Amino acid sequence: MQAILIIIGLVIGASTLAAILWSIAYPDRRLWPPKRYTKATPVLVWVPTFTLFSILIVLGFMNWGSLPIPTLLRFGIGIPLIVAGNVIVWSEVAKFGIAQTGGAKGSLRTCGLYRYSRNPQYVADIAMIVGWIVLSASPGAALIGFAGIVVLMAAPFAEEPWLKEHYGSAFEDYKATVRRFISLNEHLHKADLRHDAASW
């Protein structure tokens, strides 16, 4: 059972990464972000996403505590990362809505957590995965989690040409001010970023 879950997880991760790399190499024929948001788009986006996270969770319980990570570290770091990641992700999903989070067109978001990261949802997802790997101390979860992290780190490189195409100089100005993943510069608070919302 564990081997089957690992294979499924790796296939989902590899397929998603291949779609992202294709979109980076051929932005005019991109798969992500989708050229058109249709009724099938949420299925194509969310089914693999939730399947991968479900496999990650199940593998964590199947091999619970197998890696030599101290208990204090597991619970002291793992749980806060999971909680913080969930709070950030779902609060941003609530602001954007499921459709825009899943690739529908919207508006450029530069306020809130987007003052510190162009991709706070991806950063939060990575935090959740790392937190679960540490908490579960599971080799299987670590393997699938690593695959998920690679996908999350690659995704912005496919999305940025789309953002430039749709938001032009507004995105270019934002990109010049805020880093792709984490930016803690104090001058961000003074930046004139008045354009609203995009969760890439």
Side-chain angles (χ1 to χ4, degrees), residues 160-190:
E160 287 172 1
W162 183 92
L163 289 165
K164 181 179 178 181
E165 176 186 336
H166 284 274
Y167 304 115
S169 61
F171 175 70
E172 288 293 331
D173 292 343
Y174 175 58
K175 181 180 177 182
T177 308
V178 180
R179 291 182 180 177
R180 182 173 288 114
F181 293 110
I182 297 175
S183 183
L184 300 175
N185 298 329
E186 292 182 7
H187 73 275
L188 292 177
H189 298 286
K190 301 178 182 178

Side-chain angles (χ1 to χ4, degrees), residues 63-197:
N63 296 129
W64 188 264
S66 297
L67 295 175
I69 302 175
T71 301
L72 185 62
L73 187 66
R74 288 172 58 191
F75 286 87
I77 292 180
I79 290 178
L81 284 175
I82 293 169
V83 172
N86 271 284
V87 168
I88 291 170
V89 166
W90 294 112
S91 66
E92 292 302 328
V93 169
K95 293 171 186 174
F96 281 107
I98 296 294
Q100 189 174 341
T101 301
K105 293 179 182 178
S107 51
L108 183 65
R109 183 174 177 80
T110 59
C111 58
L113 292 174
Y114 286 83
R115 293 180 300 164
Y116 307 102
S117 170
R118 300 204 303 267
N119 301 279
Q121 290 193 54
Y122 287 153
V123 173
D125 282 332
I126 291 170
M128 282 192 287
I129 292 172
V130 171
W132 180 245
I133 292 170
V134 172
L135 178 63
S136 65
S138 162
L143 179 60
I144 298 304
F146 176 75
I149 289 170
V150 171
V151 169
L152 291 167
M153 293 186 72
F157 294 92
E159 295 166 357
E160 287 172 1
W162 183 92
L163 289 165
K164 181 179 178 181
E165 176 186 336
H166 284 274
Y167 304 115
S169 61
F171 175 70
E172 288 293 331
D173 292 343
Y174 175 58
K175 181 180 177 182
T177 308
V178 180
R179 291 182 180 177
R180 182 173 288 114
F181 293 110
I182 297 175
S183 183
L184 300 175
N185 298 329
E186 292 182 7
H187 73 275
L188 292 177
H189 298 286
K190 301 178 182 178
D192 185 19
L193 300 172
R194 298 176 181 173
H195 300 271
D196 231 6

